[in-house]
């Protein structure tokens, strides 16, 4: 997962759901994206294992303004947010469980 230097912030209004108390895994997907399904499974599993972590999936096609603002160019793209809603990590493609857990460790 790549680091992100910009001070991107996301809140519940932008996410369309309540973020996690400790961290949030934000997944940008599209309807016909095969890797998005595998990514959903990985992120749901990790969020279920770690207290205070939420997984929020966003339909990239329905949220083009947010996609453009964040520079999302492929799906799946995963953003890891800290408790304040700052993007602390970012990756494209299907992540490995160990990489997601490591990214969460950095965010919390």
């Amino acid at each position: 997962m790549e680091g992100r230097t910009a001070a991107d912030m996301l809140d519940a209004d932008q996410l369309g759901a309540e973020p996690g108390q400790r961290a949030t895994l934000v997944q940008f997907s599209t309807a016909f994206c095969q890797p998005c399904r595998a990514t959903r499974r990985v992120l749901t599993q990790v969020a279920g294992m770690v207290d205070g972590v939420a997984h929020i999936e966003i339909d990239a096609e329905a949220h083009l303004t947010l996609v453009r603002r964040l520079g999302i160019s492929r799906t799946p793209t995963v953003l890891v947010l800290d408790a304040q809603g700052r993007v602390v990590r970012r990756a494209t493609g299907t992540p490995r469980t160990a990489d997601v857990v490591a990214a969460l460790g950095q965010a919390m």
Side-chain angles (χ1 to χ4, degrees), residues 10-101:
L10 296 170
D11 60 22
D13 289 338
Q14 294 163 322
L15 294 170
E18 281 301 312
Q21 292 177 338
R22 298 175 66 200
T24 306
L25 301 169
V26 180
Q27 174 184 347
F28 284 87
S29 300
T30 53
F32 298 104
C33 168
Q34 272 305 111
C36 293
R37 293 182 185 122
T39 299
R40 181 182 310 117
R41 283 191 297 274
V42 170
L43 298 182
T44 299
Q45 177 188 19
V46 172
M49 294 181 337
V50 183
D51 287 339
V53 174
H55 169 230
I56 298 171
E57 189 168 359
I58 296 175
D59 179 350
E61 295 169 320
H63 295 88
L64 290 177
T65 301
L66 186 58
V67 164
R68 287 184 188 113
R69 185 184 124 212
L70 295 170
I72 307 293
S73 59
R74 308 178 26 192
T75 58
T77 292
V78 176
L79 306 178
V80 180
L81 310 181
D82 65 12
Q84 289 74 43
R86 279 190 309 260
V87 177
V88 295
R89 300 288 282 174
R90 153 185 208 126
T92 57
T94 304
R96 295 179 316 138
T97 300
D99 293 336
V100 176
V101 171

Side-chain angles (χ1 to χ4, degrees), residues 1-2 15 107:
M1 300 191 117
E2 301 170 17
L15 294 170

